[in-house]
Amino acid sequence: MLINGFFNVVRNSLFMKFCLLFLCYCAFFIPHLRAQSIITFGQGNTPNVSVTASSQSSAAIQTLTGTGYLPNSAAASRFLSQATLGHNFAYIQDVANLGVEKWLDNQLALPNSFRTQTYLAQIHQMMVDSLTFKYPSNTYTLSNVFVGNTHFDVSWFQGAMTAPDVVRWRVAWALSELFVVSRLSAFDDNPYALSSYYDLLLENGLGTYRNLLEKITYHPAMGVYLTFMNNHATDSTNKVYPDENYARELMQLFSIGLYKLNVNGTEMRDANNNLIPTYNNNDIAGLAKVFTGLSWGDSRYLGDNEKNNWSYTLSMKFFPIDSSDAKRNPWKTQPRIVNGHEPGPKTFLGVTIPARPVLQGEQDIKDALDVLANHPNVGPFIARRLIQRLVMSNPSPGYIQRVATVFNNNGSGVRGDLKAVVRAVLLDAEARDCGIDQAVSTVGALREPFLRYMNLMRGLPLTTQGGVYRNVMVDLFSRLEQKPLNSPSVFNFFQPDFQPDGELKTQGKFAPEFQLVNSQTITAYVNALGKWLIDDDPVEYWGFFNGEAYKSDQNAKFNLVADYAFTRNDKIVQLLDKYNLLFTGGKLSAKTLDLIRAMVVKMPYSESTNGVPNADQAYRRVRLMLVLILSSPDYLINR
């Protein structure tokens, strides 16, 4: 009927008849003259087009391709929602003034500014000093004053709220979900293990992939988590064999994945249209032999236990020989001395690391990591995962290929330059396009629950007198099921190929974050918004030790008084526009805006004789508006 109605209009218009005849002429004759393909030029779309300018200046070419334009505030806000843990209006203004590229390059040039381990150590020492002062008859030291997971969370939150290198922090969060280490392990309640590992991601997350892989391999938290700490060489007599856990996950989750990939991330197929596995059990066994002979950085021998909390802050030490019997039993005249590192050649992924003396076993590790880092799968594998964690759940093959190409060569012959890769992910036309393609239902991603929280904390003026944000995030995790280094398994909080039942699954699309969505988490999130905003309880201030004096200046609250002037019915639209820009990049639909406005204006409102809004009523209007925006589908799906 819609089509019939259209042609009725055409028949009743002479002009439309002419247009229809012209279209028919074009449809019939032009293809016979020369086959043409329709391309869209603009917004960075330049397929099969060579863009040049008479001046050949980079500025002119950037203008033609669309990359040289300064973004408006909405585009700046949308970009920041991908590039940071959360942003405010000052950041939006900076991006709008500088342009996306220059702002991002400035960020990527910033050094790592905050170490969670340093802040944790300061808290720990403060506790010792305070307890010593409070109870001078007792002896308090760093060794006997307990610190736990919550002290790491406080340290992490302080850095996330104050560090100027905000892109680095966003990338580190993404990497923590790829190279997973979790407190749900043998080092539960050891904040030095958590802080040391997170600092590794902050420090090396914008370096090279190969270097990051080596740092992770030698970190004791990974050694304990994936059980290759104190991994011994084969001893068939005593039925001792290298642990294969790390070798498996290193390939499956950290580097090459399960199946061979084309550079655009699509899976290769054999002659029978079957997927081609990247590795098998023999490859796992061969690679496992490489990661033998590693123990604690402060250990005396292979097989030794950690000494204290700080053992987790030292890189693992290589022990080619297992002399544990001699160390444990110095009275023995003939102790059992065996290989700690696996001798002989080690074959995996079609490559054989040659036999060398076990004393040179660390070269085996370097060779193995080189093999993995140079595998053709790594570029598209890492590209897709970083795109998913920063931008969208279903990147096109072209998007993956462009990023993978940068991974393979940053333009200066460097492979695995993560700074260049992050830049490619965030500046790609598919990431920056907020035009017609945004109408596609699979564009964007569900915002991770924890990122929604950080969007709010960093977006609104969360103030403390001394700039200290004490937040243990215990209740937060019980509601959102997410916080740093608290994944339930090495597979992260959700898996990259998760498909919720419904339209997305029917289309063969993915939505990883939906793996955390259920009736409980939906309700808990909305209730949490009420706690954070309506109750003005955004952070969880806990005392660090029994009897600590309450420090109100470290218990942060939102200061939204400046918005009270816009809570009058005729100004509500301005306040809506403000928060629409900040939290959704202006993406709230007209229907959503109307619903929120209608709900807010039903709330009581009154003014004094001189036009000053009633503070309690204005408070409720502002915060109800924020709750409604942050629980709307338009916000929850970041597009």
Side-chain angles (χ1 to χ4, degrees):
M1 294 182 65
L2 180 62
I3 296 176
N4 290 337
F6 170 76
F7 280 106
N8 285 335
V9 173
V10 170
R11 284 195 294 268
N12 292 331
S13 168
L14 181 62
F15 174 73
M16 293 301 291
K17 287 179 181 178
F18 171 78
C19 291
L20 187 61
L21 286 171
F22 178 74
L23 290 172
C24 292
Y25 171 85
C26 292
F28 181 78
F29 285 104
I30 290 180
H32 292 278
L33 295 174
R34 184 176 181 181
Q36 298 287 323
S37 61
I38 299 174
I39 64 171
T40 302
F41 185 80
Q43 293 183 328
N45 298 307
T46 56
N48 303 316
V49 175
S50 176
V51 180
T52 59
S54 57
S55 67
Q56 290 304 308
S57 72
S58 60
I61 293 171
Q62 285 179 336
T63 300
L64 291 172
T65 60
T67 61
Y69 292 111
L70 293 177
N72 59 29
S73 295
S77 181
R78 178 174 173 272
F79 166 74
L80 288 164
S81 72
Q82 299 165 348
T84 73
L85 293 171
H87 60 276
N88 56 29
F89 287 104
Y91 280 101
I92 292 174
Q93 193 62 53
D94 280 348
V95 173
N97 289 339
L98 292 174
V100 169
E101 287 188 74
K102 185 173 182 180
W103 183 89
L104 181 57
D105 287 341
N106 289 347
Q107 272 288 315
L108 294 175
L110 292 176
N112 183 23
S113 64
F114 187 95
R115 296 187 74 247
T116 62
Q117 185 183 325
T118 300
Y119 195 79
L120 169 67
Q122 292 170 353
I123 292 174
H124 200 178
Q125 187 63 56
M126 179 273 294
M127 293 167 63
V128 171
D129 295 342
S130 298
L131 285 166
T132 299
F133 178 80
K134 191 175 182 66
Y135 306 105
S137 61
N138 297 334
T139 301
Y140 295 98
T141 67
L142 292 173
S143 297
N144 64 24
V145 171
F146 172 79
V147 286
N149 291 336
T150 55
H151 298 92
F152 162 71
D153 292 330
V154 168
S155 303
W156 185 95
F157 191 75
Q158 179 70 21
M161 291 300 296
T162 61
D165 43 329
V166 291
V167 172
R168 181 184 298 275
W169 275 78
R170 180 67 183 85
V171 172
W173 171 259
L175 293 175
S176 76
E177 297 185 306
L178 301 183
F179 304 98
V180 175
V181 153
S182 175
R183 68 187 75 187
L184 302 180
S185 63
F187 48 84
D188 187 30
D189 251 343
N190 184 336
Y192 285 97
L194 302 177
S195 61
S196 176
Y197 187 78
Y198 210 92
D199 286 343
L200 181 158
L201 299 178
L202 286 169
E203 188 65 37
N204 300 280
L206 294 175
T208 66
Y209 170 80
R210 171 62 180 78
N211 181 65
L212 178 62
L213 211 56
E214 183 165 326
K215 294 289 186 181
I216 286 170
T217 297
Y218 275 86
H219 198 281
M222 183 62 77
V224 171
Y225 189 60
L226 290 184
T227 61
F228 67 104
M229 173 70 77
N230 287 322
N231 203 5
H232 282 69
T234 301
D235 182 354
S236 54
T237 302
N238 293 289
K239 296 183 179 179
V240 174
Y241 302 95
D243 186 291
E244 297 179 352
N245 204 16
Y246 184 62
R248 181 189 305 105
E249 308 306 356
L250 179 58
M251 290 190 288
Q252 180 182 348
L253 302 176
F254 302 165
S255 59
I256 63 176
L258 293 173
Y259 302 105
K260 291 186 177 182
L261 302 173
N262 296 302
V263 71
N264 64 5
T266 57
E267 293 164 330
M268 294 182 181
R269 302 273 176 166
D270 63 17
N272 296 317
N273 202 36
N274 296 317
L275 297 173
I276 306 171
T278 50
Y279 62 88
N280 56 34
N281 287 335
N282 291 333
D283 295 312
I284 295 172
L287 183 57
K289 295 175 182 178
V290 171
F291 303 109
T292 49
L294 292 172
S295 187
W296 300 97
D298 55 2
S299 60
R300 298 166 295 163
Y301 52 83
L302 186 64
D304 202 358
N305 297 319
E306 74 270 28
K307 299 293 183 294
N308 49 46
N309 284 347
W310 297 273
S311 297
Y312 279 94
T313 67
L314 305 173
S315 292
M316 288 195 285
K317 186 190 299 184
F318 179 70
F319 289 88
I321 302 297
D322 178 4
S323 59
S324 57
D325 190 32
K327 296 290 185 180
R328 288 192 181 107
N329 306 298
W331 51 269
K332 284 188 175 183
T333 56
Q334 291 185 321
R336 181 175 178 269
I337 306 295
V338 295
N339 287 320
H341 180 71
E342 185 81 15
K346 300 161 185 70
T347 300
F348 66 100
L349 300 180
V351 176
T352 297
I353 295 175
R356 53 170 59 102
V358 291
L359 292 175
Q360 299 174 16
E362 283 194 283
Q363 188 60 49
D364 292 352
I365 297 175
K366 293 184 183 300
D367 288 349
L369 295 180
D370 285 343
V371 170
L372 289 170
N374 286 288
H375 192 285
N377 259 37
V378 178
F381 181 87
I382 295 297
R384 178 178 179 241
R385 276 151 181 76
L386 282 177
I387 293 169
Q388 283 189 317
R389 299 281 44 80
L390 298 175
V391 179
M392 61 177 61
S393 297
N394 294 281
S396 71
Y399 188 2
I400 294 173
Q401 180 166 343
R402 290 188 292 275
V403 175
T405 300
V406 172
F407 181 97
N408 293 340
N409 186 338
N410 68 351
S412 299
V414 177
R415 179 177 174 81
D417 177 356
L418 294 176
K419 185 179 293 186
V421 170
V422 168
R423 193 178 189 277
V425 168
L426 292 173
L427 296 183
D428 191 85
E430 198 165 323
R432 300 278 49 84
D433 180 13
C434 54
I436 189 169
D437 288 343
Q438 295 295 314
V440 179
S441 62
T442 54
V443 169
L446 177 68
R447 294 181 199 257
E448 296 179 48
F450 185 74
L451 290 184
R452 298 175 215 160
Y453 176 72
M454 292 307 300
N455 288 172
L456 181 60
M457 297 304 108
R458 289 184 52 82
L460 298 182
L462 185 68
T463 58
T464 62
Q465 294 177 15
V468 177
Y469 301 86
R470 190 184 297 203
N471 190 2
V472 298
M473 301 191 284
V474 173
D475 177 72
L476 173 72
F477 179 75
S478 69
R479 295 173 185 268
L480 303 186
E481 299 183 5
Q482 262 194 311
K483 66 177 174 179
L485 304 186
N486 209 156
S487 170
S489 77
V490 72
F491 295 100
N492 190 26
F493 300 101
F494 37 74
Q495 298 188 41
D497 294 332
F498 179 75
Q499 296 178 301
D501 292 333
E503 182 180 352
L504 288 175
K505 190 170 186 177
T506 301
Q507 295 181 32
K509 301 297 183 180
F510 307 102
E513 297 82 0
F514 273 88
Q515 197 165 357
L516 284 178
V517 175
N518 54 54
S519 58
Q520 180 176 340
T521 56
I522 292 172
T523 304
Y525 171 65
V526 176
N527 288 338
L529 286 174
K531 175 179 182 289
W532 304 330
L533 289 162
I534 306 301
D535 298 338
D536 196 20
D537 191 15
V539 302
E540 295 171 65
Y541 176 103
W542 282 17
F544 287 142
F545 54 88
N546 289 335
E548 182 192 10
Y550 172 67
K551 299 175 178 62
S552 60
D553 61 337
Q554 296 182 17
N555 192 3
K557 303 293 181 184
F558 291 126
N559 184 357
L560 304 178
V561 175
D563 289 333
Y564 290 2
F566 298 94
T567 55
R568 204 171 67 191
N569 286 357
D570 61 338
K571 293 186 177 181
I572 283 291
V573 172
Q574 296 176 52
L575 193 57
L576 263 173
D577 287 345
K578 172 183 175 179
Y579 288 132
N580 182 18
L581 170 63
L582 178 63
F583 289 111
T584 77
K587 292 288 186 177
L588 289 178
S589 67
K591 182 178 180 180
T592 300
L593 287 167
D594 287 343
L595 286 170
I596 294 174
R597 185 193 61 78
M599 183 69 71
V600 172
V601 298
K602 289 180 180 179
M603 298 289 291
Y605 178 84
S606 62
E607 296 178 350
S608 65
T609 54
N610 59 356
V612 177
N614 177 281
D616 289 341
Q617 293 173 345
Y619 173 103
R620 294 189 185 98
R621 283 194 166 202
V622 170
R623 290 167 188 259
L624 174 63
M625 178 184 293
L626 286 164
V627 169
L628 294 173
I629 289 173
L630 297 174
S631 58
S632 69
D634 305 32
Y635 166 73
L636 294 174
I637 303 297
N638 190 20
R639 303 179 64 181

